[in-house]
Amino acid sequence: MSVPLPFQTMLLSSLAKVFADEKPANESYKYASALLGETFSFQVAYTSDTLLKNMVLKIDSPIAEHATIRSVGLVPSEMPCYSDPDTDVLRTAPGLYPDPLYELEQQSVVSVPGQWRSVWVSIALDKSVPAGVHPVRISFQSADGEQLAKSDVLELTVIPVTLPPQQLIHTEWFHADCIATQYGVEVFSEAHWLLLERYADTMARHGMNMILTPLFTPPLDTAIGGERPTVQLVEVAANGSTYSFGYDQLARWITMCRKLGFKYFEFSHLFTQWGAKCAPKIMGTIDGEERQLFGWETDASSESYLGFLDQFLPSLDRYLKENGLEQQSWFHISDEPALEHMESYRSASEIIYKHLSDYPVMDALSDLDLYKEGLVKRPIPANNHIEPFLEHQVPDLWTYYCCGQHQQVSNRFFNMPSARNRVIGLQLYKFGLQGFLHWGYNFWYSQYSLDQQLDPFRTTDAKLAFPSGDAYLVYPGKEGPIESIRLEVLYEGIQDLRALELLEQKIGKQKTVELMEQDLAEPLTFANYPRGSGEWLLAARERINQALASHFA
């Protein structure tokens, strides 16, 4: 029988995941460095022999005003992985996993006897933070003011070098309909716009500088014949086969996103997913009455839909150019086409390039032959299929991952170590990729959108469809998003990328990569990187920071 322990704390890096039923295996984390312009995070794990509710936490540090504390919550996972995971996972059993980050006023800090929990400390290092070594210590007090414990001191060295602006284009698909459904508000009502802005702001603050923009309801993860709520920014009026278009809602969306810092607009797909066989759902008014004009019943190559696009795309082109958006607008044809879809995709691409040849058009796909055929000019292969594209030296290459990328490569499922999430930043840097895409910033429906009333705090796998952690990075809080460990760690990877780009300005790409790969048995690839807790990754970032300190002294 184990002996109950008094209140204990342990300093951990942001790459640790603290499970309630297991003492953290990571060694205590007492020294770190960071650059100006980045957010540095660490954790304090704790346990006690008694039930303690509503604990009060305080930050003892000369830079306390720049720090925030959040409670790491636990959420259930019925399906943490598929039946064939690789060995670089923390566990495979269903259970409670650490993920949501609750503001302390949202959820109090509690210690459950014999269980381990943690709090997440973030320090925003703006230019007002002085350079040098800053001690940081977290104290735990009971609800009535009794001192329970103080953590060890973390010594954070702030290096007087500022991260450069982000060059990587990063999009996580923004599902406006999921927000309306979850909060029970009318699409594009004032309440919806307020929520959209809060969720988009969290994206922008975490390195997402491109946003999926629903010209029409995005035809994504929708069962054939099924329907998602209408989220259409372009107003359409039909008079027989003649159409007119309004852009007031789109203008409001663009104004909002530009204010938040978004640089690029990724317009929703103009043909259905997995083959470009049908038109997306498009609503319009006929004699003042709103009706559905196109949808699953509309063949993508039909005369009616092609006639519509022949009018809409030139109109949109004029609008974008009149508003200075031609350098910021990206388009999609159909998501994830395969070889068997070549003819339907070819037909769809012809009409798009007929009108939008001045714009970048990109699609997720993993077959190089579709690129060689010239059908996808900006391919986005998955990170487990990217090698042929790298060997072919495809310019301006992007990558993505989703549920299918669950062996060997970077991903962000609940059951994966956080280092596996963060390492993508080093990989994107080494291979000079232009962009990174993921489909799930806030997809809170079930697979194919069949069930649109899920509780994301209880059903974390889209009803046993995708491993927990694939479908969303944020949870629906009372008034806006609740962030996650995975969101913060992914942003740390983007910060790593920016630090590497800065060092390259001083010593060149080759020496920067050599420093990054120091002590590796084999060169870093998308499938080959150190596994486990992330000690190598932290050490690599420390080497980068010290090199920056010396070269910018």
Side-chain angles (χ1 to χ4, degrees):
M1 180 177 176
S2 61
V3 178
L5 297 171
F7 201 96
Q8 291 183 311
T9 66
M10 183 184 297
L11 283 180
L12 300 171
S13 80
S14 60
L15 299 184
K17 287 190 177 181
V18 179
F19 291 88
D21 61 347
E22 182 178 62
K23 181 179 179 178
N26 307 68
E27 294 183 7
S28 193
Y29 182 66
K30 295 185 179 181
Y31 305 96
S33 67
L35 308 181
L36 296 174
E38 72 177 311
T39 299
F40 172 81
S41 298
F42 70 98
Q43 295 176 84
V44 181
Y46 63 90
T47 188
S48 73
D49 58 359
T50 57
L51 177 63
L52 298 165
K53 297 183 178 181
N54 302 313
M55 286 189 290
V56 177
L57 275 64
K58 294 186 177 180
I59 304 167
D60 181 12
S61 175
I63 55 173
E65 64 184 288
H66 300 276
T68 58
I69 304 177
R70 287 175 287 179
S71 175
V72 180
L74 301 173
V75 285
S77 171
E78 291 188 63
M79 192 175 82
C81 55
Y82 293 127
S83 61
D84 56 344
D86 61 23
T87 58
D88 191 25
V89 294
L90 299 171
R91 50 180 67 184
T92 60
L96 293 175
Y97 284 75
D99 195 52
L101 296 174
Y102 294 105
E103 304 291 339
L104 296 190
E105 61 268 21
Q106 295 171 327
Q107 178 170 301
S108 65
V109 180
V110 175
S111 183
V112 181
Q115 294 187 19
W116 282 90
R117 302 292 173 95
S118 70
V119 293
W120 188 277
V121 185
S122 296
I123 305 175
L125 299 171
D126 62 35
K127 292 182 179 180
S128 68
V129 179
V133 179
H134 300 284
V136 184
R137 169 177 270 179
I138 307 301
S139 67
F140 292 75
Q141 297 178 358
S142 67
D144 57 8
E146 177 190 358
Q147 184 74 45
L148 298 171
K150 287 187 176 182
S151 72
D152 289 337
V153 173
L154 173 75
E155 292 188 1
L156 177 63
T157 300
V158 177
I159 297 170
V161 176
T162 302
L163 276 183
Q166 181 177 320
Q167 301 301 315
L168 179 82
I169 303 176
H170 180 194
T171 179
E172 305 272 337
W173 281 352
F174 186 54
H175 300 277
D177 53 351
C178 290
I179 293 173
T181 301
Q182 189 67 221
Y183 288 88
V185 297
E186 183 181 349
V187 170
F188 298 137
S189 62
E190 291 306 310
H192 192 212
W193 277 109
L194 179 61
L195 290 163
L196 291 173
E197 182 165 348
R198 289 173 179 170
Y199 276 88
D201 180 55
T202 294
M203 294 175 70
R205 289 187 292 102
H206 289 84
M208 297 162 218
N209 51 13
M210 172 182 274
I211 187 166
L212 183 66
T213 298
L215 298 173
F216 308 112
T217 302
L220 299 169
D221 217 273
T222 308
I224 295 175
E227 187 173 339
R228 291 177 63 160
T230 300
V231 282
Q232 177 175 321
L233 289 170
V234 176
E235 302 98 45
V236 181
N239 182 6
S241 59
T242 301
Y243 303 93
S244 59
F245 306 97
Y247 296 104
D248 289 348
Q249 293 278 59
L250 178 60
R252 181 172 181 176
W253 177 281
I254 289 170
T255 298
M256 175 188 75
C257 293
R258 279 177 155 175
K259 179 185 74 173
L260 297 175
F262 285 92
K263 294 183 178 180
Y264 305 100
F265 297 91
E266 173 191 13
F267 294 120
S268 53
H269 304 67
L270 292 165
F271 299 87
T272 51
Q273 197 170 19
W274 309 305
K277 295 181 179 179
C278 302
K281 180 174 71 171
I282 297 177
M283 305 298 291
T285 57
I286 301 176
D287 297 328
E289 180 183 346
E290 185 176 58
R291 300 182 189 177
Q292 183 169 323
L293 305 177
F294 305 102
W296 286 112
E297 71 285 354
T298 309
D299 187 278
S301 60
S302 66
E303 182 178 338
S304 60
Y305 188 52
L306 295 182
F308 172 83
L309 292 177
D310 276 335
Q311 296 174 64
F312 169 60
L313 295 179
S315 172
L316 179 63
D317 176 48
R318 287 192 299 273
Y319 173 81
L320 296 176
K321 290 176 177 175
E322 288 169 359
N323 288 276
L325 291 161
E326 64 269 29
Q327 300 300 317
Q328 302 171 28
S329 300
W330 293 59
F331 287 87
H332 286 290
I333 297 172
S334 172
D335 190 46
E336 296 181 327
L339 277 177
E340 65 263 29
H341 308 133
M342 185 175 289
E343 291 312 309
S344 58
Y345 192 90
R346 186 190 306 277
S347 174
S349 64
E350 286 174 354
I351 186 69
I352 297 303
Y353 287 117
K354 174 183 175 182
H355 297 292
L356 300 177
S357 59
D358 292 341
Y359 299 88
V361 180
M362 61 178 179
D363 273 323
L365 83 159
S366 294
D367 196 310
L368 185 63
D369 287 340
L370 279 170
Y371 171 75
K372 289 180 177 179
E373 286 283 331
L375 299 184
V376 183
K377 292 182 170 55
R378 288 180 179 260
I380 308 180
N383 59 345
N384 63 334
H385 294 292
I386 197 172
E387 298 301 333
F389 293 82
L390 292 171
E391 293 169 4
H392 199 71
Q393 298 183 339
V394 174
D396 301 323
L397 192 60
W398 290 44
T399 194
Y400 80 97
Y401 55 63
C402 64
C403 57
Q405 288 61 58
H406 62 281
Q407 292 184 332
Q408 305 308 317
V409 294
S410 175
N411 212 314
R412 58 183 189 225
F413 301 160
F414 284 5
N415 75 330
M416 291 179 173
S418 285
R420 189 166 178 174
N421 179 356
R422 181 168 168 176
V423 75
I424 191 71
L426 306 187
Q427 295 165 333
L428 292 168
Y429 170 75
K430 179 178 178 179
F431 295 100
L433 269 61
Q434 184 186 41
F436 177 73
L437 176 149
H438 192 280
W439 75 280
Y441 174 66
N442 65 315
F443 183 76
W444 298 323
Y445 296 159
S446 71
Q447 186 180 29
Y448 305 129
S449 303
L450 296 173
D451 187 341
Q452 299 174 5
Q453 299 293 330
L454 298 186
D455 178 354
F457 294 95
R458 294 176 61 89
T459 303
T460 59
D461 49 27
K463 296 190 77 170
L464 303 177
F466 316 121
S468 297
D470 184 46
Y472 52 87
L473 281 170
V474 291
Y475 297 80
K478 184 177 180 181
E479 297 179 349
I482 292 173
E483 297 169 7
S484 68
I485 286 176
R486 293 169 300 112
L487 174 66
E488 295 290 4
V489 170
L490 179 63
Y491 185 50
E492 288 180 329
I494 303 303
Q495 293 181 153
D496 294 341
L497 165 65
R498 293 163 63 191
L500 286 161
E501 290 174 339
L502 181 60
L503 184 57
E504 181 183 330
Q505 295 176 19
K506 289 292 185 178
I507 66 174
K509 178 92 179 219
Q510 181 178 342
K511 289 184 178 180
T512 301
V513 171
E514 288 173 357
L515 182 66
M516 180 183 74
E517 293 184 332
Q518 185 177 310
D519 300 329
L520 290 188
E522 298 178 0
L524 185 80
T525 69
F526 282 94
N528 293 321
Y529 54 91
R531 311 292 167 164
S533 64
E535 293 302 317
W536 172 83
L537 201 158
L538 294 173
R541 179 58 201 274
E542 187 62 32
R543 289 195 301 273
I544 295 160
N545 286 352
Q546 295 309 316
L548 286 167
S550 64
H551 285 285
F552 282 87

